[in-house]
Amino acid sequence: MTRVNPYRSPSAEAAFLVVALAALAGVAGCGREVEPFPEPGATTEKQEILRRSGVGPVVVSFASYPLRPGAPPDGVKMAILQAIGNGRCDVATFYWSERALSMGWIQEQMEHRRRTGQPPRLILAGHGLGATEAAEVAREIIFHDRDVEIVLLLTVDAVKTGRLASPAGVAGNAIAKRIPGVNHSFTAYDAAPVPDGRQLWSHINYYQTRSTYYHGAAMPGAENHHLDDWTGLLNHGNADDFAVTFLVNDLRFALRKAVGR
């Protein structure tokens, strides 16, 4: 299915003290005292806790850029904020390479849901490297946490890490996108688990093939949507902005399912 959106373009004592404090931190909370999660609204380069409510589904997005001031805008995060409105849920964004931080926060929220008798339900989303991370986190959660339900995995133009920065990666994309039916090795084709209606309810994947340097592909088991436009302005960098209306609608539908099912 093709979707078109024309509207959006030290001393010994000191050393001993450091070791002791580190040990205490590990016992008290797995290092949380060393690198705590920020308060809602606060942002570091690695994590941004957008909302804490303790009820409802947990929504996590993964950014392709460090979360520093001046970083490119993240269309997926903007879509999430628009979709949730004033709804009650926990929302956070993590830099794509911070797997331990994101998994720690997700597990904390899932455990809270279990303690309070709520279903441990989760929505994961991302663009580019963030989309690949969302898919890999989904796979890890399904393997380790059999009671967690991922209501929606939402990926936009998922790509593999590292390889695309090389000339071979660029050439591979340029060649493979001209061969019909070929899902080349430079995308995150194999990153995502296949929806089973139980642990992973749905996977919606948006991708574009116009950009030579970075582009995605259809992913197995997903509801795949090929993005295209008549302006010629669509590329990997703006694919999440281009698809933002679709993302908002997908997220709103998933949130309704998460609350009502």
Side-chain angles (χ1 to χ4, degrees), residues 7 33 40 47 71 94-95 103 118 160 205 213 227 255 261:
Y7 302 106
E33 286 77 9
Q47 55 191 324
F94 294 89
Y95 182 41
M103 289 297 294
Q118 303 175 64
K160 281 290 190 183
N205 176 51
Y213 192 66
L227 297 170
L255 288 164
R261 181 160 161 175

Side-chain angles (χ1 to χ4, degrees), residues 7-239:
Y7 302 106
R8 286 193 58 94
S9 76
S11 69
E13 292 81 4
F16 174 80
L17 180 60
V18 169
V19 172
L21 287 174
L24 286 173
V27 171
C30 299
R32 286 283 305 280
E33 286 77 9
V34 176
E35 188 168 18
F37 296 125
E39 293 299 314
T43 300
T44 72
E45 289 200 350
K46 300 178 180 179
Q47 55 191 324
E48 183 176 22
I49 311 304
L50 302 169
R51 183 178 300 184
R52 293 292 301 271
S53 66
V55 298
V58 177
V59 186
V60 177
S61 66
F62 296 91
S64 291
Y65 297 93
L67 304 171
R68 63 169 69 99
D74 191 319
V76 172
K77 185 180 76 172
M78 295 300 102
I80 288 172
L81 292 175
Q82 186 175 340
I84 64 176
N86 294 320
R88 300 183 68 188
C89 52
D90 289 348
V91 186
T93 296
F94 294 89
Y95 182 41
W96 70 268
S97 67
E98 299 300 331
R99 177 75 58 87
L101 277 178
S102 63
M103 289 297 294
W105 193 80
I106 290 170
Q107 290 167 354
E108 180 184 87
Q109 306 316 310
M110 295 298 100
E111 183 57 34
H112 175 76
R113 299 303 189 276
R114 297 182 185 103
R115 289 197 309 268
T116 55
Q118 303 175 64
R121 291 177 177 165
L122 179 64
I123 293 173
L124 300 170
H127 167 230
L129 298 176
T132 305
E133 182 66 7
E136 293 180 345
V137 166
R139 184 170 58 188
E140 185 170 336
I141 289 171
I142 288 171
F143 184 80
H144 292 288
D145 298 292
R146 299 304 176 91
D147 65 330
V148 173
E149 300 171 83
I150 302 173
V151 179
L152 174 64
L153 170 60
L154 186 58
T155 54
V156 182
D157 233 19
V159 296
K160 281 290 190 183
T161 61
R163 287 198 251 178
L164 287 169
S166 69
V170 177
N173 267 344
I175 294 170
K177 77 173 188 175
R178 290 171 170 79
I179 305 175
V182 173
N183 286 296
H184 49 78
S185 63
F186 303 103
T187 68
Y189 179 80
D190 57 349
V194 175
D196 60 2
R198 185 178 61 86
Q199 283 189 276
L200 176 56
W201 296 5
S202 177
H203 177 194
I204 302 178
N205 176 51
Y206 293 92
Y207 68 99
Q208 59 78 38
T209 54
R210 184 181 296 272
S211 171
T212 298
Y213 192 66
Y214 284 97
H215 65 85
M219 298 177 75
E223 177 187 316
N224 289 293
H225 298 282
H226 179 234
L227 297 170
D228 203 357
D229 74 328
W230 56 268
T231 66
L233 300 176
L234 171 65
N235 55 57
H236 175 77
N238 66 14

